[in-house]
Amino acid sequence: MEYAMKLDHLTKDFGSFKLDDVSFAIPGGTILGLIGENGAGKSTAIKCLLGVLHPTSGGVELLEGEGLAGVGYVPDECPFSDQLKVRQVGKFCAGLFPGWEDSLFAHYLQKFELPGDRKVKELSRGMKMKLSIAVALSHRPKLLVLDEATSGLDPVVRDEILDEFLAFIRDEDHAILISSHITSDLEKICDYVVYLHKGRVTISGAKDELLETYGRLSCSKADLARVDPGLIVGKREGDYGCQALINDHAAFQRAYPDLSLESPTLEDLMIFTTRGDSLSFEKESEQRKL
Amino acid sequence: MTGFLKRDYYLISGTLKFYVLFMAAFIILAVFTDFNSSFLSLYVVVFAMSSVMGLFSYDDMSRWTAYGAAAPAGRMAMVDARYLLTLLISVGISLFQMLISLLGGEAGDLPMAALYGGGFLLYAAVTLPVCYHFGGTKARTVMILIVAVMGALIGMGATTLQLSNGFGRVSLPSPFLLLPLAGIAALAISWRVSLGIMGRKEL
């Protein structure tokens, strides 16, 4: 299988935060979603991939033979100064990216309804993001790297942008790495998911397989008490019922045929894994008290 | 590199109109007063200095440096472009000084042009690595200190050469012609230092 990019045991140590031994790859023709809470290390991983940060150890393989020339990068904030006009952005970007096509840029400006004579400061956040995407697509990249590109956008603009990504991925040579904490967006478009939690890969795999492997349990306190703790990733206990994320759907159904599981969402995977952490912490604290 | 150079040009040209208007006002004033080309040239030098520093602030505000470093040409081309722009501005300053002192019928136009062009290069040779190291915002504070020291040295030099009265009307000694060469040498060292800073920098 050919990969558009590969992170191999990537580690970046800042002292106060460490991106720790992260490995994943994106097969051609697919979209990989990098999820995780704020500060989990998503942007750090992307910056290491793009050479903006120097990894402490580990390696990055990027589009054999093309390197950064084949990458279209969309950061979380529009990188073009407010004083610049949209048309000027296209003019200087032509000198930055090999393979730049003025006609393609003009096509995206028209498609995204971006007026060429307007200054960047006069654009809304959604329009600025569209401008960044237009620039990223106008040099015909093979890999799109999007760092929180849909954050802060209204659902209509987000949907429009997600459609653009799906159109891009129709070419089997293309691939997308998209990081976001808006998991509903990623659930719509991703083939693979990597969940970063406190700098480490906690869950990774094909999205559909993950959502089939895990299960979401809603039950009473008494029912939850009899479930093998080894099957529980994290749980939420309330006065009127409990919810838990189960790590092995099939094993759980064999052991507890009277309890039914629902399909989890990516958000469930994130929330319950984080809660699982606090659960372990609570257990450790209780043990220390005893 | 042309992309980085064009971006810097577009950003500087945005404020150019404002400066040209100011200059036009000064020229009109000069018609009614005793013409002194140095005043205008000094104004152009100050504009050039603040414009180069301003580029780093624009970089900071739009987080451009990280984005530019992720472009295929990369961070080194970004540094190259800014140094080339600095060199071009210095040539522009020298040509401007020569032109207006010729128009004003002043003597000693060549050493004076060398003083302004070379002086600007020396200033940029100090400023650029400071900006690359500290970023545009922090560098302003550091540069205030550096400019104060440089100002004191220039003041002392001017006093020694008895230039304080009628600056711009006197013929500067010919060694001033070597100032651009000193500026270019300083800029070359500065360029190497900036490449080193940017090569190591985490953006």
Side-chain angles (χ1 to χ4, degrees):
Chain A
M1 186 184 283
E2 280 193 21
Y3 293 103
M5 62 122 304
K6 221 176 189 177
L7 293 186
D8 190 18
H9 299 288
L10 184 80
T11 297
K12 175 69 192 171
D13 194 351
F14 290 106
S16 56
F17 173 77
K18 188 178 181 185
L19 186 73
D20 198 5
D21 196 26
V22 170
S23 297
F24 61 85
I26 310 178
T30 65
I31 301 179
L32 185 142
L34 196 55
I35 60 172
E37 67 278 6
N38 291 329
K42 303 184 294 293
S43 295
T44 303
I46 286 175
K47 285 182 173 178
C48 286
L49 169 74
L50 297 171
V52 175
L53 290 175
H54 307 299
T56 309
S57 64
V60 173
E61 279 177 44
L62 199 59
L63 294 163
E64 201 177 330
E66 288 200 42
L68 285 170
V71 177
Y73 171 45
V74 183
D76 55 344
E77 295 282 341
C78 178
F80 308 116
S81 296
D82 282 350
Q83 291 73 11
L84 294 167
K85 286 183 178 171
V86 170
R87 196 176 292 114
Q88 288 177 328
V89 170
K91 280 182 184 167
F92 74 75
C93 283
L96 284 182
F97 302 106
W100 178 270
E101 287 180 29
D102 283 330
S103 56
L104 194 56
F105 183 64
H107 160 78
Y108 281 115
L109 291 192
Q110 199 174 18
K111 187 172 186 179
F112 293 150
E113 295 174 11
L114 294 167
D117 56 350
R118 199 177 283 185
K119 284 189 174 178
V120 172
K121 69 178 172 191
E122 293 164 1
L123 304 179
S124 66
R125 180 172 163 78
M127 288 167 97
K128 283 181 183 176
M129 195 47 73
K130 284 177 181 174
L131 174 62
S132 300
I133 292 167
V135 168
L137 291 172
S138 294
H139 60 102
R140 296 204 181 277
K142 287 189 174 171
L143 173 66
L144 258 188
V145 177
L146 306 128
D147 189 3
E148 301 281 2
T150 56
S151 304
L153 301 180
D154 67 67
V156 178
V157 176
R158 265 175 28 219
D159 205 54
E160 205 179 331
I161 287 173
L162 293 180
D163 280 347
E164 203 54 52
F165 298 157
L166 288 172
F168 174 79
I169 210 70
R170 275 188 210 129
D171 188 328
E172 282 190 6
D173 284 342
H174 290 174
I176 297 179
L177 169 63
I178 177 168
S179 88
S180 180
H181 55 264
I182 305 175
T183 50
S184 57
D185 284 351
L186 301 186
E187 218 158 294
K188 280 183 201 165
I189 60 167
C190 286
D191 302 295
Y192 294 91
V193 172
V194 172
Y195 172 34
L196 278 180
H197 178 52
K198 293 182 179 171
R200 294 186 69 94
V201 174
T202 308
I203 297 169
S204 73
K207 180 192 72 186
D208 293 339
E209 281 176 25
L210 284 175
L211 298 182
E212 279 172 24
T213 306
Y214 287 83
R216 181 186 161 129
L217 174 68
S218 298
C219 61
S220 66
K221 261 188 179 178
D223 283 336
L224 187 62
R226 63 189 177 93
V227 175
D228 174 8
L231 287 170
I232 299 174
V233 177
K235 62 184 178 181
R236 184 191 288 149
E237 293 182 75
D239 292 338
Y240 303 103
C242 303
Q243 290 175 328
L245 184 72
I246 303 299
N247 58 21
D248 190 335
H249 195 129
F252 181 88
Q253 290 292 260
R254 279 195 300 274
Y256 309 100
D258 56 318
L259 298 175
S260 62
L261 291 180
E262 297 162 25
S263 273
T265 59
L266 290 177
E267 193 168 310
D268 290 332
L269 297 188
M270 265 179 72
I271 290 171
F272 282 105
T273 306
T274 312
R275 290 183 75 88
D277 260 17
S278 54
L279 194 71
S280 315
F281 177 75
E282 281 166 21
K283 278 179 191 167
E284 279 172 26
S285 304
E286 279 170 21
Q287 279 169 356
R288 267 190 232 118
K289 278 180 196 169
L290 290 171
Chain B
M1 189 176 70
T2 53
F4 291 120
L5 199 60
K6 263 189 186 171
R7 173 188 175 268
D8 284 355
Y9 166 73
Y10 286 139
L11 285 171
I12 286 181
S13 65
T15 51
L16 202 60
K17 281 178 204 163
F18 175 75
Y19 286 106
V20 168
L21 271 176
F22 252 97
M23 214 137 72
F26 281 130
I27 290 171
I28 292 165
L29 272 176
V31 173
F32 301 106
T33 56
D34 189 16
F35 182 77
N36 182 348
S37 67
S38 284
F39 188 71
L40 272 179
S41 294
L42 203 63
Y43 178 76
V44 173
V45 170
V46 170
F47 158 61
M49 285 173 173
S50 64
S51 295
V52 172
M53 282 284 283
L55 287 174
F56 287 91
S57 298
Y58 285 130
D59 292 351
D60 284 357
M61 278 190 284
S62 58
R63 298 189 201 170
W64 168 258
T65 316
Y67 183 81
R75 53 180 86 197
M76 298 308 172
M78 208 173 350
V79 176
D80 293 348
R82 201 146 289 177
Y83 273 83
L84 182 59
L85 180 77
T86 303
L87 211 54
L88 292 173
I89 289 175
S90 149
V91 172
I93 289 170
S94 300
L95 289 176
F96 179 78
Q97 166 60 28
M98 284 172 74
L99 181 75
I100 59 165
S101 56
L102 274 175
L103 290 174
E106 293 172 346
D109 51 319
L110 204 58
M112 194 57 79
L115 171 71
Y116 282 119
F120 174 72
L121 284 179
L122 287 172
Y123 169 83
V126 177
T127 307
L128 292 174
V130 171
C131 288
Y132 279 117
H133 184 77
F134 291 102
T137 315
K138 265 192 195 173
R140 281 187 187 277
T141 315
V142 178
M143 282 315 296
I144 288 170
L145 295 171
I146 293 174
V147 167
V149 173
M150 283 175 86
L153 290 174
I154 290 167
M156 280 165 64
T159 309
T160 310
L161 293 167
Q162 295 182 321
L163 297 176
S164 53
N165 295 322
F167 194 59
R169 294 188 180 82
V170 292
S171 293
L172 290 169
S174 50
F176 269 85
L177 289 170
L178 296 174
L179 203 61
L181 291 178
I184 288 170
L187 200 69
I189 296 166
S190 164
W191 171 64
R192 297 295 304 174
V193 173
S194 293
L195 285 178
I197 292 168
M198 279 297 277
R200 289 188 301 272
K201 201 168 185 180
E202 304 277 19
L203 301 167

